Amino acid sequence: MIVPEKIPDNKNGVPLEIYREQFAARDPEQMSARSGVPYDGTAFTDVICSRPVSLSYPDMTAVFTDTGEPAPANINILLARFVMEGSFVQAGGSFKAYTEMPWGEVYAAQFNGRCIKRMAFSYGFDLNKFEKACLGVGGIPAGKGDKSFDIEFLKGYTLRLILWEGDDEFPPASQILFSDNFQFAFQAEDLAVVGDIVLNMMKAVK
């Protein structure tokens, strides 16, 4: 059995300063061409869960441009890793479970705890709360499960969040699927951070 190379945990792993050094050493035009993220000479610009965000070059500072507030560190690092390493591929129209991603089975338990169970028990007894949270981050109804939404994480990359309501007999259940081009842009460990970010942004919806 081939053991995958350890992928740093974006939340608790490599310090932000190390990523900044790597980011500043790259050519911004080449990063933009490969990742598909526009670069205007001073910053990369994208939209995350319907909020516009910029990532400055070379200092790698992510800011939500609709309010001017700094983006959380996990968004800052994930966006930088995407710009540095990701390759944009148009989505083919299908969705994949986390375990269908390269090395996804290796990190499945982590993703299940951090994202799948968190979503199920945050919203599984209140579908209206789930709907409001999903609509608040740009979700579009997907017609699956008891309630589901497609959420564009970054331009061209869509998550499908599916929820089955719990009751007195059965606990709630959920699933998070990724558009089939995620595998070309993110490592398996990054996708756990993607789930964290989306759920955090949903939680912030008032």
Side-chain angles (χ1 to χ4, degrees):
M1 176 181 176
I2 299 175
V3 178
E5 180 182 355
K6 175 64 177 176
I7 300 171
D9 184 331
N10 292 347
K11 190 173 182 181
N12 300 308
V14 179
L16 192 61
E17 293 74 20
I18 301 298
Y19 284 113
R20 284 201 170 106
E21 291 176 9
Q22 297 174 356
F23 183 76
R26 306 290 183 92
D27 182 281
E29 298 291 349
Q30 291 180 1
M31 289 193 290
S32 177
R34 188 189 61 258
S35 67
V37 180
Y39 176 69
D40 63 7
T42 61
F44 296 88
T45 58
D46 211 321
V47 174
I48 183 165
C49 295
S50 80
R51 293 194 66 183
V53 62
S54 70
L55 181 70
S56 60
Y57 180 86
D59 60 329
M60 204 188 91
T61 299
V63 175
F64 289 117
T65 56
D66 54 351
T67 62
E69 66 181 304
N74 59 354
I75 290 179
N76 200 332
I77 291 174
L78 187 81
L79 186 55
R81 280 172 59 87
F82 169 54
V83 170
M84 286 192 291
E85 307 295 345
S87 296
F88 181 76
V89 174
Q90 193 73 35
S94 63
F95 287 83
K96 293 179 177 291
Y98 185 82
T99 52
E100 297 178 280
M101 295 292 178
W103 303 118
E105 292 186 3
V106 177
Y107 301 101
Q110 180 189 38
F111 182 76
N112 188 55
R114 284 173 66 172
C115 303
I116 299 292
K117 288 184 178 179
R118 177 184 172 189
M119 186 176 109
F121 287 96
S122 293
Y123 301 104
F125 294 102
D126 192 340
L127 296 185
N128 290 332
K129 180 182 177 183
F130 178 66
E131 179 174 11
K132 180 180 179 181
C134 288
L135 292 175
V137 294
I140 298 172
K144 306 293 182 181
D146 290 330
K147 189 79 73 172
S148 62
F149 290 86
D150 287 348
I151 296 170
E152 190 172 49
F153 180 68
L154 294 170
K155 288 181 180 178
Y157 297 89
T158 302
L159 273 73
R160 176 165 290 171
L161 274 56
I162 308 172
L163 188 65
W164 290 269
E165 189 174 20
D167 56 28
D168 292 338
E169 289 189 62
F170 299 101
S174 66
Q175 179 60 284
I176 298 176
L177 304 177
F178 300 85
S179 57
D180 50 21
N181 56 345
F182 262 91
Q183 62 186 307
F184 303 105
F186 299 99
Q187 301 278 5
E189 175 63 16
D190 291 325
L191 295 184
V193 182
V194 169
D196 274 339
I197 290 170
V198 172
L199 292 171
N200 288 344
M201 294 183 76
M202 288 170 58
K203 184 178 180 180
V205 173
K206 302 300 183 184

